[in-house]
Amino acid sequence: EISECLVGSEMCIRDSFLAVSAAFGGAVWAASMLAGTDAYGGQVYVPVSMRVLVLSFALCYAAVSLVFRRIGKRAEREILPLVVTLGGKSVALRALRDTGNGLSDPVSGRSAAVAELEALRPLLPGLAPGVTDPAALCEALAALPYLAGRISLLPYSALGTGHGLIAALRPDSAEVSGRREDILIGLSPAPLSGDGDYDAII
């Protein structure tokens, strides 16, 4: 397994080197075309000045760095499948593993995940749309017969948003990567991911 990992790393480095080389060569060629070309002996001669070379390298470096930073950020994310079941219905979510998530019920001590309200709509028939205030949402959920005794308000604190309350429900079951977890599901009226990569946080 170690040797396979090393071989994979070497291939990744090689491919990255080839990609950077090709991008740099293309940038130099494009910049040279803008500067003009000459023909000698029936062949195209591309004069490359030091200024063109430095400019091409800077542009290429910036573009490649941006691409690799984006790839690195996505690779650092651990997104797991989360299946929430309620009233005989289930929804499959993409949950971001957040090691700093300390949301829990202060009464029972049960930990809680957070999911986008819209992603859980199939499990909540009868819930009126447009309810976003946590207290109002909690009241609307508690009024649904199949959620009697399953709704609570959880306090939370988050960097940049201060403190607040979030409505949460106790599902019939919740499975993370196929493993059953005894957790509550907090309901976020707003999207959790700016790029849509996940719709829940655990």
Side-chain angles (χ1 to χ4, degrees):
E1 294 180 357
I2 295 177
S3 61
E4 291 179 357
C5 182
L6 291 175
V7 170
S9 299
E10 291 176 357
M11 293 180 64
C12 182
I13 294 173
R14 183 197 64 189
D15 293 343
S16 299
F17 176 77
L18 292 176
V20 172
S21 300
F24 180 64
V28 173
W29 179 269
S32 300
M33 290 296 98
L34 293 176
T37 59
D38 297 315
Y40 293 93
Q43 296 182 348
V44 176
Y45 170 71
V46 181
V48 180
S49 67
M50 181 59 67
R51 186 179 68 174
V52 170
L53 190 64
V54 172
L55 178 61
S56 301
F57 177 79
L59 293 175
C60 180
Y61 178 80
V64 171
S65 297
L66 178 61
V67 170
F68 275 87
R69 275 200 299 269
R70 284 182 171 269
I71 294 175
K73 287 182 179 179
R74 288 178 177 266
E76 289 174 0
R77 293 178 176 177
E78 184 181 6
I79 299 178
L80 307 174
L82 169 62
V83 179
V84 180
T85 302
L86 180 66
K89 299 179 181 179
S90 298
V91 293
L93 308 176
R94 297 157 298 158
L96 173 68
R97 172 78 74 181
D98 182 5
T99 56
N101 178 25
L103 184 63
S104 63
D105 183 358
V107 178
S108 66
R110 185 182 284 114
S111 60
V114 180
E116 295 178 7
L117 177 59
E118 289 306 313
L120 293 177
R121 283 281 179 184
L123 304 182
L124 304 172
L127 178 63
V131 182
T132 58
D133 178 74
L137 179 58
C138 189
E139 184 178 353
L141 291 169
L144 299 176
Y146 58 90
L147 288 179
R150 291 175 176 264
I151 305 302
S152 56
L153 271 175
L154 306 183
Y156 73 88
S157 60
L159 184 65
T161 59
H163 304 273
L165 295 171
I166 185 171
L169 61 83
R170 176 168 51 85
D172 293 339
S173 67
E175 295 183 359
V176 179
S177 297
R179 180 178 178 180
R180 190 157 182 163
E181 301 285 350
D182 184 21
I183 58 176
L184 301 176
I185 305 296
L187 305 176
S188 172
L192 297 173
S193 170
D195 50 19
D197 280 354
Y198 55 89
D199 44 25
I201 298 175
I202 57 175

